[in-house]
Amino acid sequence: MKKYSKILLATDYSNEVMNAECYAVQFAKSAHSILTLFHAYSPPLPPPKITLSYDDMLRNSKASEIKKLNQHRDELFHSLNINPGEINNECIVKEGNAGNQICKEAKESDVDFIFVGSHGASGFRDILFGSNTWNVIKKSSVPVLVIPKDALFTGINHIVFGTEYREGEVSVLKFLAQFAKQFGAELTVLHVTNYVLS
């Protein structure tokens, strides 16, 4: 059975994603996972007066972003009383659209899960998940765990799969059965119908 050992934690440093960060770190420690903290940022605009080359500016910007993410990781681990050495981890920053870059990095790094927070609000789906989160859910080829702001990690004990008997669900159920077995969790398959049974 495959061990699910690589997870990608996407962060934008916002308060809304803070709980997802805590959840992912605790999950990684519990599952002995390799944790990648990932942040996507917008590149700086060229200055009106050329004081240094734009390439130098981009390099400096990336170095600043990676330093910020490393400091954020250290503070996060410290807040959870976890030594960074207890979890195999790395920090990666990329410039560009967050949703696209998260999916691209997940594919390139061959991760097993993506952890994201739920925040942002314009349309109905954005209210539920956040626009970048919804973008990741739609485009990702790996499972995305959307962690609500009040969720606490207490281990993986019970998994519920909502089925509509659609084609392709069997492979998802097989994946969830393996996942549940690895964590000693109970798996419930749930179908809700509108028909009233006599």
Side-chain angles (χ1 to χ4, degrees), residues 25-188:
V25 170
Q26 291 169 318
F27 179 96
K29 184 178 178 185
S30 173
H32 307 290
S33 299
I34 299 167
L35 175 67
T36 299
L37 285 88
F38 181 83
H39 175 69
Y41 67 98
S42 299
L45 296 173
K49 292 183 179 179
I50 303 298
T51 53
L52 75 161
S53 78
Y54 189 55
D55 287 344
D56 288 338
M57 183 178 281
L58 291 176
R59 273 191 293 276
N60 291 345
S61 177
K62 185 165 186 174
S64 174
E65 291 291 342
I66 194 71
K67 181 179 178 183
K68 181 178 177 181
L69 184 56
N70 277 294
Q71 287 174 339
H72 183 75
R73 180 222 33 220
D74 293 345
E75 290 168 8
L76 173 62
F77 280 35
H78 180 74
S79 73
L80 296 168
N81 293 317
I82 294 174
N83 185 312
E86 290 180 59
I87 299 173
N88 188 346
N89 69 88
E90 66 177 336
C91 293
I92 296 176
V93 298
K94 297 268 175 85
E95 67 177 57
N97 173 275
N100 294 339
Q101 290 298 333
I102 291 165
C103 291
K104 185 177 176 188
E105 183 60 36
K107 189 172 184 180
E108 288 174 1
S109 297
D110 192 28
V111 302
D112 299 297
F113 296 102
I114 299 171
F115 280 76
V116 292
S118 57
H119 65 292
S122 54
F124 176 70
R125 288 185 178 118
D126 291 352
I127 290 168
L128 287 179
F129 302 117
S131 57
N132 282 325
T133 299
W134 182 244
N135 194 19
V136 171
I137 291 169
K138 286 192 303 183
K139 293 182 177 180
S140 177
S141 58
V142 299
V144 179
L145 280 74
V146 181
I147 309 301
K149 65 176 186 168
D150 297 325
L152 296 175
F153 181 79
T154 57
I156 305 295
N157 303 313
H158 196 148
I159 300 166
V160 178
F161 175 73
T163 181
E164 294 183 358
Y165 307 126
R166 290 184 179 171
E167 192 175 329
E169 288 185 354
V170 172
S171 62
V172 176
L173 276 169
K174 286 180 181 176
F175 170 83
L176 287 174
Q178 281 189 337
F179 181 68
K181 187 175 180 183
Q182 180 184 349
F183 287 92
E186 183 179 331
L187 175 61
T188 298

